[in-house]
Amino acid sequence: MFKQDGSVDYEASGRVARELAEFALKTGNTVFVSDYIYGEAAEYDELTEEYRRGLALIDRTLCGICERVIEVAFGNVIDYKEF
């Protein structure tokens, strides 16, 4: 999303989501690890919010194609989707 020349690629999250989904479908057994930074209640500047929305899009895309989705936080394990 953040280019070396200082510009911002607002289409990056969609592209990354598609590429990771393609990768997962081709490889089979793939584990993705993501941080849940978009879930906190604090509001940030518009650029940071766009970054957080992009991460959420990537996570939702991967959850849609993965056979199993698990959240692990503070020792708690939640199965959202089991195969």
Side-chain angles (χ1 to χ4, degrees), residues 8-40:
V8 178
D9 179 0
Y10 290 99
E11 304 300 318
S13 59
R15 193 170 51 256
V16 169
R18 285 188 302 277
E19 290 175 3
L20 288 175
E22 288 174 20
F23 175 81
L25 292 170
K26 287 180 183 176
T27 59
N29 293 325
T30 305
V31 175
F32 294 100
V33 178
S34 179
D35 195 353
Y36 192 68
I37 68 165
Y38 48 82
E40 68 180 66

Side-chain angles (χ1 to χ4, degrees), residues 51-64:
Y51 179 78
R52 289 172 20 136
R53 282 189 292 272
L55 288 177
L57 170 69
I58 293 167
D59 283 351
R60 286 192 315 273
T61 301
L62 294 175
C63 287

